[in-house]
Amino acid sequence: MTRTTSSPAVRTTTSDPALAPARTARVVAWTATGAVAAGVLLLLFPVLRPWPDESVPTLALAQAFASDRWVLAHLCGIAGLGLLAPTFLGLRALLRAGSAPGSAPGARAATAAVATAWAGAALSSLYFGAEIFGIRTIAQAALRTDDPALLADVEVLRLQPAAMTLFGVGLALVAAAGVLAAVALWRGGGRPRWVGVPLAAGLLLYLPQFFGTPAARVGHGVLVAAGLLLVAWAVRRSTAPGTTTAGHPEG
C-alpha cells in the first residue's frame, strides 16, 4: 500500500486549523506563481532594455533613453524585485504549516528573507525610478534641442552619492534575501536541498552585473529566472502525489 506524505519544505497537512489543506494549496499556488512572475520580469529587464553605445553622447543614445522600451524594461525590473518578498512570504507560510510556533525548520530564515527582500526592493526601486524618469527626461530634452551634450547629466544623476548609497544598500539586502531563502529551503528539507542556491547566486550577483557587458547582463537575467523557476518547481513538486518526507515515492 502506498503512503503519501509531503516534503518537510512544504507540508500539506497541518494540525493548525488556521492553515487547512485548501488554504495550503492556495498558498502553494501563489508562491509558485509569484516566483515564476518574478523570474520572467527580472529576465525581461535586460532583454527589453535598449543597449546603445553609452561611451559617447549621441542622439541615438538619447532616443534609446527616451524610448518606451527603456521605461518598460525598468518597470519590469522594479516589479520583479517587488515580487520576491511575497514569494518568500508564501515560502515562510508553507514551512510553518503543521509545525508548532517557532519549531519549523527554515521558517526563521524565511522570515528574515521576507524582511530583507521588502527593504531591498523598496530602496533599489528609488534608484530605478530615477533611471526611468530622470534619464528619460534628460534624453527628451536632448532630442528637443538636438543637443546630445545634455546627456552628460545622465552620469551626474546616476552617480549622485545618496542615490548610489541607497541603491547599493538595497541590492545588498536583496542579495541577503536570496541567501536567506536558500538557507530556508535547505533547512526546511527542500528537494533537492540545493534548490535555492542558483537563486541565491543570482541575487548575490545583482549589483556586480550592472558593471558587465550586455551579454553578461542578459545571462545574469537567465540565471535569476532559472533560480526562481527552480523554487516554483520545488514548491509544486513537494506537494505532488507520491512525494514523501524523504523526497521519494514510498511503497
Side-chain angles (χ1 to χ4, degrees):
M1 182 175 180
T2 300
R3 179 170 61 87
T4 301
T5 60
S6 63
S7 165
V10 183
R11 301 174 176 82
T12 56
T13 58
T14 175
S15 59
D16 183 0
L19 191 61
R23 181 184 171 194
T24 301
R26 290 195 297 272
V27 175
V28 167
W30 64 256
T31 302
T33 300
V36 171
V40 171
L41 289 165
L42 290 173
L43 176 57
L44 285 175
F45 174 33
V47 168
L48 291 178
R49 183 196 189 280
W51 293 106
D53 180 5
E54 298 188 24
S55 62
V56 180
T58 63
L59 290 179
L61 177 58
Q63 288 172 345
F65 285 155
S67 68
D68 291 337
R69 281 182 59 191
W70 178 265
V71 174
L72 181 59
H74 285 78
L75 287 176
C76 286
I78 292 173
L81 290 176
L83 283 173
L84 292 176
T87 298
F88 296 157
L89 184 63
L91 178 63
R92 172 180 176 270
L94 294 170
L95 287 167
R96 294 180 64 186
S99 298
S103 67
R108 183 173 297 177
T111 300
V114 174
T116 51
W118 274 127
L123 291 176
S124 57
S125 67
L126 297 173
Y127 191 88
F128 273 119
E131 282 269 308
I132 297 171
F133 303 112
I135 291 178
R136 192 186 201 197
T137 299
I138 294 169
Q140 288 171 334
L143 291 173
R144 282 195 308 269
T145 60
D146 288 327
D147 183 6
L150 293 176
L151 295 177
D153 286 339
V154 168
E155 286 306 297
V156 175
L157 185 151
R158 282 176 165 168
L159 300 178
Q160 203 279 333
M164 286 288 289
T165 300
L166 289 174
F167 190 56
V169 171
L171 290 183
L173 289 170
V174 167
V179 173
L180 288 163
V183 170
L185 285 162
W186 187 285
R187 291 179 178 172
R191 292 294 181 266
R193 294 179 75 91
W194 53 262
V195 71
V197 173
L199 176 59
L203 296 183
L204 277 169
L205 291 172
Y206 217 98
L207 181 57
Q209 62 91 28
F210 278 101
F211 301 97
T213 64
R217 292 188 61 180
V218 172
H220 175 263
V222 171
L223 172 62
V224 174
L228 283 160
L229 290 175
L230 272 173
V231 170
W233 168 78
V235 168
R236 287 288 193 183
R237 178 177 180 267
S238 64
T239 55
T243 303
T244 69
T245 54
H248 301 285
E250 183 175 87

